[in-house]
Amino acid sequence: EAGVAQSPRYKIIEKRQSVAFWCNPISGHATLYWYQQILGQGPKLLIQFQNNGVVDDSQLPKDRFSAERLKGVDSTLKIQPAKLEDSAVYLCASSLKGTAYEKLFFGSGTQLSVL
Amino acid sequence: LAKTTQPISMDSYEGQEVNITCSHNNIATNDYITWYQQFPSQGPRFIIQGYKTKVTNEVASLFIPADRKSSTLSLPRVSLSDTAVYYCLVEGYSTLTFGKGTMLLVSP
């Protein structure tokens, strides 16, 4: 079974530039998550989609971050403009139904460095 | 959300049994305890989940006392490849919240 695919693997940009990350969840998984993981910390949820609708985006900095999940499958996360503190690994995860206690499957992430 | 406390780091040697304890004093009735493992440059991976007493799978065992205010992840006979960060999470009806985890270093 193919896992969660993310690209690019690494990205280096200068502050104030924009960047986009792509995620392809496990086939058939209704729920998709974007997490931000700063070095030395655990992942922090940015946004959760159920099919193509947003369930939780309470921790998404909406002035600069945006995300979409068209057709309820692939998703993109965009940062515009980037700040130095956005340097982190951006992890995408998916789960089958998004119900409580369900196992999450994570991709390997995109490591972003903002200079 | 129930807050969890676990050691920042632990050291072990190959072949030893490792027990990582997590404290969650204000766990709610509907909360489950879940552990994830994260290797460098990878996303977290589900290890085990339980509600009470003992759960065992091919990777680990999870011990939960009757009061459920703590839990212990047990890794039997660790190898170098078990070096990773281990996260203890308490989840109910809200989305998973990760703490800083425990960095386990296994040496030869």
Side-chain angles (χ1 to χ4, degrees), chain A residues 22-34 48-55 67-76 92-98:
Chain A
W22 173 82
C23 172
N24 180 236
I26 292 173
S27 178
H29 279 198
T31 311
L32 184 147
Y33 312 78
W34 283 102
Q48 177 184 345
F49 291 94
Q50 184 72 18
N51 297 309
N52 59 352
V54 175
V55 173
E68 60 181 8
R69 190 184 185 198
L70 299 176
K71 299 180 182 179
V73 181
D74 292 7
S75 177
T76 56
C92 180
S94 70
S95 64
L96 186 60
K97 298 179 181 179

Side-chain angles (χ1 to χ4, degrees), chain A residues 51-91:
Chain A
N51 297 309
N52 59 352
V54 175
V55 173
D56 182 359
D57 64 355
S58 57
Q59 298 193 85
L60 185 73
K62 297 180 187 63
D63 58 333
R64 297 183 301 106
F65 286 64
S66 65
E68 60 181 8
R69 190 184 185 198
L70 299 176
K71 299 180 182 179
V73 181
D74 292 7
S75 177
T76 56
L77 176 68
K78 297 179 182 178
I79 307 175
Q80 182 180 8
K83 293 185 175 181
L84 296 177
E85 59 261 35
D86 297 332
S87 293
V89 175
Y90 290 85
L91 294 161

